[in-house]
Amino acid sequence: MSTIVKSKPSLREVEEVVRESIAGRRLVVIVGECRVDYEGRAASRLELGERVVLIKQDGAVLVHGPTGYSPINWQPSTSAIEVFYREDSGLVIHAVRDKPREYLTITFTRVEAVVAGKLVDPGGFTMYVDESEMRDVLVANPSLIEEGFRVLEVEKPVGDGYVDIYGVDRESRPVLVELKRVTATREAALQLYRYVEAYAREKGVRPRGILLAPAFSPSAIETLLRMGLEYRYVDLKKMGELVKKHKAWKRQSLLDYTKGERHGGAADKA
Amino acid sequence: MSTIVKSKPSLREVEEVVRESIAGRRLVVIVGECRVDYEGRAASRLELGERVVLIKQDGAVLVHGPTGYSPINWQPSTSAIEVFYREDSGLVIHAVRDKPREYLTITFTRVEAVVAGKLVDPGGFTMYVDESEMRDVLVANPSLIEEGFRVLEVEKPVGDGYVDIYGVDRESRPVLVELKRVTATREAALQLYRYVEAYAREKGVRPRGILLAPAFSPSAIETLLRMGLEYRYVDLKKMGELVKKHKAWKRQSLLDYTKGERHGGAADKA
DNA sequence: CTATGCATGTCGATA
DNA sequence: TATCGACGTGCATAG
């Protein structure tokens, strides 16, 4: 990572750094005064002010103000970025995206600092509890859903969509289980309701419907009760523990499966 | 804006810059090698790699990788940020957020560049067409919905939610109008359906339901037709023009209203 | 302060 | 390639 760092560079200098960095697929950070125009799905204008602009190695562009999580303006991943300096207007960075067609124009009048470098990030990212993991754990431990519950199908197509878990209770009645990793909203309840209705239409039997989540909004509970559906709380912390075990198990079984096959990741295709 | 820019600083130097910048409510950009741990609603671990970290003036923290729009890890706005350097582990930045309780720990092992400065951004930001503006324009120009349409209520409570526009058609039949500024999905169609059903239950009369959007997904159209609902296309460009006029009018009437009162914004409360 | 719905949402999986 | 649903969604607003 050979980094370029310039303090109070001229706009010409920045132009060169940005141009070369885009060509060399390096990341650029510019801190300075600019205005921004956006036109695409919506349209916006941002007047002159001091901001941080990131141009990423895949062409994503972010304009960040002094506060807040979200960028003020951005371009997720761009087909083409143009850079040019004009005596009258300043340093112009033009990012164009296809599908949807969107234009982002950043005009710098002053730059305080510019940093450019090729970032190498092989870092493995692990998210400990996501919905698919929750589902895997529940499938492996169906008693967490209900004593005597038996899983028949995962991601079962029902009507327009897919219900997370399909199975039968101890009395062999069909059950549709919908999962939410976060607070369940009315939307989740209605989604489950649609599955239950669709299943009833298709099979001629009304199944039980259970919504599993760590928390429920009042409107969700109200809707569930009104629709004749059930809900259960899941403990994410406990899930987390089980996920860890489950993962260890999965890794082990994968190792067994690939035993003797060649290991090693794909080469870096830059 | 007196900016600090350091190339390949020692971790001790970075510690000092970050500590002082947080105290002085300045923004910091750090480019270097780090690992990141997050625990809160979920939990994640990001192994060693090169990234850009922004610490914003309100305590928001963003960890950006070399590509993509979204930060890998973040903290939207933090109650407390701690910084400390340890010979063994490296430079640790610890950001804690209340409600929900979440912890973000960034550990730098090497820093390529650090930039810090107080960003001044008075820049007015104008978004030309958002949904509320769309609604205002349609209320002011009901014939855009349908010839002879009369608006009776905006954001009318119906069932669980609020329908954007409620009115009557030329034959005095009740009409529920739902707006989407972007492509309408099946979700939007189902939302309108819920309103229509709720209205029918409450009033004993089934109203017409119209979904207005610049575009419709096939499944949205399929659902609308199946549910006996209608849809119309709106032209965002035209909307934009009308919004401009409408805004001018609103500003004018606001000026009339506040005539003689004192102008000027609030003082910067840093 | 909580609940609800929008967003230039973005992103990933899937048909 | 288009569509669909999840997201540590974030965020503003209404009650």
Side-chain angles (χ1 to χ4, degrees):
Chain A
M1 185 181 182
S2 69
T3 323
I4 298 165
V5 183
K6 282 173 192 281
S7 180
K8 296 192 191 299
S10 72
L11 295 178
R12 278 238 179 272
E13 283 181 277
V14 179
E15 182 200 10
E16 199 183 315
V17 169
V18 173
R19 195 183 294 282
E20 286 178 6
S21 297
I22 291 169
R25 295 231 165 237
R26 283 180 297 167
L27 181 143
V28 191
V29 183
I30 310 169
V31 181
E33 190 184 55
C34 63
R35 72 179 88 245
V36 185
D37 282 283
Y38 154 74
E39 184 159 355
R41 286 164 295 180
S44 72
R45 160 159 280 251
L46 179 59
E47 300 298 346
L48 212 58
E50 292 173 343
R51 283 138 209 154
V52 179
V53 172
L54 278 94
I55 305 173
K56 293 219 192 171
Q57 294 174 189
D58 60 349
V61 180
L62 306 170
V63 181
H64 271 280
T67 61
Y69 161 88
S70 340
I72 317 174
N73 283 105
W74 69 91
Q75 197 74 283
S77 180
T78 320
S79 34
I81 301 180
E82 277 173 34
V83 196
F84 48 92
Y85 172 72
R86 272 194 197 142
E87 202 66 53
D88 52 345
S89 45
L91 176 69
V92 178
I93 298 169
H94 196 67
V96 182
R97 173 199 196 185
D98 281 334
K99 277 165 81 114
R101 195 77 179 174
E102 299 196 290
Y103 306 88
L104 184 68
T105 310
I106 308 169
T107 309
F108 275 99
T109 53
R110 180 169 53 79
V111 171
E112 288 290 318
V114 62
V115 179
K118 186 131 198 159
L119 261 60
V120 179
D121 186 355
F125 181 70
T126 329
M127 177 74 73
Y128 289 121
V129 192
D130 63 22
E131 195 178 272
S132 74
E133 285 173 330
M134 244 179 94
R135 197 192 52 208
D136 293 349
V137 167
L138 288 168
V139 168
N141 307 273
S143 67
L144 288 176
I145 299 170
E146 189 176 87
E147 209 46 59
F149 184 85
R150 280 195 304 124
V151 175
L152 294 179
E153 204 171 337
V154 174
E155 290 290 312
K156 180 186 175 63
V158 177
D160 289 329
Y162 299 82
V163 71
D164 289 312
I165 298 173
Y166 167 61
V168 289
D169 65 15
R170 62 161 70 78
E171 286 155 35
S172 300
R173 274 186 303 174
V175 184
L176 304 185
V177 182
E178 184 64 21
L179 301 180
K180 284 284 147 194
R181 204 187 46 71
V182 292
T183 303
T185 61
R186 188 185 48 213
E187 281 309 307
L190 288 164
Q191 190 179 16
L192 176 58
Y193 176 69
R194 290 201 300 272
Y195 292 144
V196 166
E197 288 301 298
Y199 184 98
R201 263 202 312 278
E202 290 169 15
K203 306 285 157 107
V205 186
R206 195 171 199 278
R208 291 172 58 199
I210 307 179
L211 187 53
L212 258 79
F216 297 83
S217 77
S219 65
I221 291 176
E222 192 269 340
T223 304
L224 287 161
L225 295 177
R226 187 153 50 81
M227 303 301 196
L229 302 171
E230 305 162 52
Y231 62 100
R232 300 225 192 309
Y233 291 88
V234 286
D235 185 330
L236 280 186
K237 276 269 192 290
K238 256 185 226 166
M239 284 274 114
E241 293 307 307
L242 287 164
V243 165
K244 257 179 248 172
K245 281 179 208 162
H246 188 71
K247 273 203 168 159
W249 176 82
K250 270 211 299 198
R251 194 171 316 117
Q252 189 52 49
S253 60
L254 195 68
L255 273 172
D256 291 347
Y257 188 74
T258 58
K259 201 174 288 181
E261 303 207 2
R262 122 187 127 72
H263 283 237
D268 194 335
K269 283 179 285 186
Chain B
M1 185 181 181
S2 68
T3 322
I4 297 165
V5 182
K6 282 174 193 283
S7 180
K8 297 191 191 297
S10 72
L11 295 177
R12 278 239 181 271
E13 283 181 277
V14 178
E15 181 200 11
E16 199 184 315
V17 169
V18 173
R19 196 183 293 283
E20 286 177 7
S21 297
I22 290 167
R25 296 227 165 242
R26 283 180 297 167
L27 181 143
V28 191
V29 183
I30 310 169
V31 181
E33 190 186 53
C34 62
R35 72 180 87 245
V36 185
D37 281 283
Y38 154 75
E39 185 158 354
R41 287 166 293 181
S44 72
R45 161 159 276 252
L46 179 59
E47 299 299 345
L48 211 58
E50 291 173 342
R51 284 135 207 155
V52 179
V53 172
L54 279 100
I55 305 173
K56 292 219 193 173
Q57 295 174 189
D58 61 347
V61 179
L62 305 171
V63 181
H64 271 280
T67 59
Y69 161 87
S70 336
I72 316 174
N73 282 105
W74 68 94
Q75 199 71 283
S77 178
T78 320
S79 32
I81 301 180
E82 278 172 34
V83 196
F84 48 92
Y85 172 72
R86 273 193 196 144
E87 201 65 53
D88 53 344
S89 45
L91 177 69
V92 177
I93 298 170
H94 196 66
V96 182
R97 173 199 195 185
D98 281 334
K99 271 168 85 113
R101 195 78 178 173
E102 298 197 290
Y103 306 88
L104 185 69
T105 310
I106 308 169
T107 309
F108 275 99
T109 51
R110 180 169 52 81
V111 171
E112 288 290 318
V114 62
V115 179
K118 186 131 198 160
L119 261 60
V120 180
D121 186 355
F125 180 71
T126 330
M127 175 74 71
Y128 290 119
V129 191
D130 64 22
E131 192 178 274
S132 75
E133 284 174 330
M134 240 179 97
R135 196 192 53 209
D136 294 350
V137 167
L138 288 168
V139 168
N141 307 274
S143 66
L144 288 176
I145 300 170
E146 188 175 88
E147 208 48 59
F149 184 85
R150 281 193 304 122
V151 174
L152 295 179
E153 204 172 335
V154 174
E155 289 291 309
K156 179 185 176 64
V158 177
D160 290 328
Y162 298 83
V163 72
D164 290 312
I165 298 174
Y166 168 61
V168 290
D169 66 14
R170 63 158 69 79
E171 285 155 34
S172 301
R173 274 185 303 174
V175 183
L176 304 184
V177 182
E178 185 63 23
L179 302 180
K180 283 285 148 196
R181 205 188 47 69
V182 291
T183 303
T185 60
R186 185 191 354 151
E187 280 310 305
L190 287 165
Q191 189 178 16
L192 176 59
Y193 176 69
R194 290 201 301 272
Y195 292 144
V196 166
E197 288 300 297
Y199 184 98
R201 264 202 309 278
E202 289 167 16
K203 306 286 157 106
V205 187
R206 195 169 200 279
R208 291 172 56 198
I210 306 179
L211 187 54
L212 258 81
F216 297 82
S217 77
S219 67
I221 291 177
E222 192 269 341
T223 304
L224 288 161
L225 294 177
R226 188 152 48 82
M227 303 299 195
L229 303 170
E230 304 162 54
Y231 61 99
R232 299 220 193 311
Y233 291 87
V234 286
D235 185 330
L236 281 185
K237 276 268 190 293
K238 256 186 225 167
M239 285 272 114
E241 293 305 306
L242 287 164
V243 165
K244 257 179 249 175
K245 280 181 209 161
H246 188 69
K247 273 204 169 159
W249 174 83
K250 271 210 298 198
R251 194 173 313 121
Q252 189 53 47
S253 58
L254 195 69
L255 273 172
D256 291 348
Y257 186 75
T258 58
K259 200 173 289 179
E261 303 205 3
R262 125 189 125 71
H263 283 236
D268 194 335
K269 283 179 288 188

